[in-house]
Coordinates of all heavy atoms in Angstrom, one line a residue:
R71 N -18.5 11.0 12.5 CA -19.7 11.9 12.2 C -20.7 12.0 13.3 O -21.2 13.0 13.7 CB -20.4 11.5 10.9 CG -19.6 11.8 9.6 CD -20.5 11.7 8.4 NE -21.1 10.4 8.3 CZ -20.6 9.4 7.6 NH1 -19.5 9.5 7.0 NH2 -21.3 8.3 7.5
S72 N -21.0 10.8 13.9 CA -22.0 10.7 14.9 C -21.5 11.5 16.2 O -22.3 12.2 16.9 CB -22.3 9.3 15.3 OG -22.8 8.6 14.2
L73 N -20.2 11.4 16.5 CA -19.7 12.1 17.7 C -19.4 13.5 17.4 O -19.1 14.3 18.3 CB -18.4 11.4 18.1 CG -18.5 9.9 18.6 CD1 -17.2 9.3 18.9 CD2 -19.4 9.9 19.9
E74 N -19.4 13.9 16.1 CA -19.1 15.3 15.7 C -17.8 15.7 16.2 O -17.6 16.8 16.9 CB -20.2 16.3 16.1 CG -21.6 16.0 15.5 CD -22.6 17.0 15.8 OE1 -22.9 17.2 17.0 OE2 -23.2 17.6 14.9
L75 N -16.8 14.9 15.9 CA -15.4 15.2 16.4 C -14.8 16.4 15.7 O -14.3 17.3 16.3 CB -14.5 14.0 16.2 CG -14.9 12.7 17.1 CD1 -14.0 11.6 16.8 CD2 -14.9 13.1 18.5
V76 N -14.8 16.3 14.3 CA -14.2 17.4 13.5 C -15.2 18.0 12.5 O -14.9 19.1 12.0 CB -13.0 16.9 12.8 CG1 -11.9 16.4 13.8 CG2 -13.3 15.7 11.9
R77 N -16.3 17.4 12.3 CA -17.4 17.9 11.4 C -18.7 17.7 12.0 O -19.0 16.6 12.5 CB -17.3 17.2 10.0 CG -16.1 17.5 9.2 CD -16.2 17.1 7.7 NE -16.5 15.7 7.6 CZ -15.5 14.8 7.5 NH1 -14.3 15.1 7.5 NH2 -15.8 13.5 7.4
N78 N -19.6 18.7 11.9 CA -20.9 18.5 12.5 C -21.9 17.9 11.5 O -21.6 17.8 10.3 CB -21.5 19.9 13.0 CG -21.7 20.9 11.9 OD1 -22.3 20.5 10.8 ND2 -21.3 22.1 12.1
L79 N -23.0 17.4 12.1 CA -24.0 16.7 11.3 C -24.8 17.7 10.5 O -25.5 17.3 9.5 CB -24.9 15.9 12.2 CG -24.2 14.7 12.8 CD1 -25.2 14.0 13.9 CD2 -23.8 13.7 11.8
E80 N -24.8 19.0 10.8 CA -25.7 19.9 10.2 C -25.2 20.3 8.8 O -26.0 20.2 7.8 CB -25.8 21.2 11.1 CG -26.8 22.2 10.5 CD -26.9 23.5 11.4 OE1 -26.3 23.4 12.5 OE2 -27.4 24.5 11.0
D81 N -24.0 20.8 8.7 CA -23.5 21.3 7.4 C -22.1 20.7 7.1 O -21.5 21.1 6.1 CB -23.5 22.8 7.3 CG -22.7 23.4 8.4 OD1 -21.9 22.7 9.1 OD2 -22.8 24.7 8.6
G82 N -21.6 19.9 7.9 CA -20.3 19.3 7.6 C -19.1 20.2 8.0 O -18.0 19.8 7.7
S83 N -19.4 21.3 8.6 CA -18.3 22.2 8.9 C -17.7 21.8 10.3 O -18.3 20.9 11.0 CB -18.7 23.7 8.9 OG -19.6 23.9 10.0
S84 N -16.7 22.6 10.8 CA -16.1 22.3 12.1 C -16.8 23.0 13.2 O -16.5 22.8 14.4 CB -14.6 22.6 12.1 OG -14.5 24.0 11.8
A85 N -17.8 23.9 12.9 CA -18.5 24.6 13.9 C -19.3 23.7 14.8 O -19.8 22.7 14.4 CB -19.5 25.6 13.2
R86 N -19.2 24.0 16.1 CA -19.9 23.2 17.2 C -19.5 21.8 17.2 O -20.3 20.9 17.4 CB -21.5 23.3 17.0 CG -22.0 24.7 17.1 CD -23.5 24.8 16.8 NE -23.8 24.3 15.5 CZ -23.6 25.0 14.3 NH1 -23.1 26.2 14.4 NH2 -23.9 24.5 13.2
T87 N -18.2 21.5 17.0 CA -17.6 20.2 17.1 C -16.6 20.2 18.3 O -16.3 21.3 18.8 CB -16.9 19.8 15.8 OG1 -15.8 20.7 15.6 CG2 -17.8 19.8 14.6
L88 N -16.1 19.0 18.6 CA -15.1 18.9 19.6 C -13.9 19.7 19.2 O -13.2 20.4 20.0 CB -14.8 17.4 19.9 CG -13.6 17.2 20.9 CD1 -14.0 17.8 22.3 CD2 -13.3 15.7 21.0
L89 N -13.5 19.6 17.9 CA -12.4 20.3 17.4 C -12.5 21.8 17.6 O -11.5 22.5 18.0 CB -12.2 20.0 15.9 CG -11.1 20.8 15.2 CD1 -9.7 20.3 15.8 CD2 -11.1 20.5 13.7
S90 N -13.7 22.4 17.4 CA -13.9 23.8 17.5 C -13.7 24.3 19.0 O -13.3 25.4 19.2 CB -15.3 24.2 17.0 OG -16.3 23.7 17.8
V91 N -14.0 23.4 19.9 CA -13.9 23.7 21.3 C -12.4 23.7 21.8 O -12.0 24.6 22.5 CB -14.7 22.7 22.2 CG1 -14.5 23.0 23.7 CG2 -16.2 22.9 21.9
V92 N -11.6 22.7 21.3 CA -10.3 22.6 21.9 C -9.2 23.2 21.0 O -8.0 23.3 21.4 CB -10.0 21.1 22.1 CG1 -11.0 20.5 23.1 CG2 -10.0 20.3 20.8
D93 N -9.5 23.6 19.8 CA -8.5 24.1 18.9 C -8.1 25.5 19.2 O -8.8 26.5 18.8 CB -9.0 24.0 17.4 CG -7.9 24.3 16.4 OD1 -6.7 24.5 16.8 OD2 -8.1 24.3 15.2
H94 N -7.0 25.7 19.8 CA -6.4 27.0 20.1 C -5.0 27.1 19.5 O -4.1 27.8 20.0 CB -6.4 27.4 21.5 CG -7.8 27.5 22.1 ND1 -8.6 28.6 22.0 CD2 -8.5 26.6 22.8 CE1 -9.8 28.4 22.6 NE2 -9.8 27.2 23.1
T95 N -4.8 26.3 18.5 CA -3.4 26.2 17.9 C -3.1 27.5 17.2 O -4.0 28.3 16.8 CB -3.4 25.0 16.9 OG1 -4.4 25.2 15.9 CG2 -3.6 23.7 17.5
R96 N -1.8 27.7 17.0 CA -1.3 28.9 16.4 C -0.6 28.7 15.0 O -0.2 29.6 14.3 CB -0.3 29.6 17.3 CG -0.9 30.3 18.5 CD -1.7 31.5 18.0 NE -2.4 32.2 19.1 CZ -3.6 31.9 19.5 NH1 -4.3 31.0 18.9 NH2 -4.2 32.6 20.4
T97 N -0.5 27.4 14.6 CA 0.1 27.1 13.3 C -0.8 26.1 12.5 O -1.6 25.4 13.1 CB 1.5 26.5 13.4 OG1 1.4 25.2 14.0 CG2 2.4 27.3 14.3
A98 N -0.6 26.1 11.2 CA -1.4 25.2 10.4 C -0.9 23.8 10.7 O -1.8 22.8 10.7 CB -1.1 25.5 8.9

Side-chain angles (χ1 to χ4, degrees):
R71 287 198 302 270
S72 297
L73 294 176
E74 295 186 303
L75 296 179
V76 296
R77 293 194 299 272
N78 65 45
L79 293 171
E80 182 180 351
D81 59 10
S83 71
S84 62
R86 300 177 300 282
T87 63
L88 178 60
L89 177 64
S90 69
V91 174
V92 301
D93 187 4
H94 296 280
T95 55
R96 285 293 179 267
T97 69

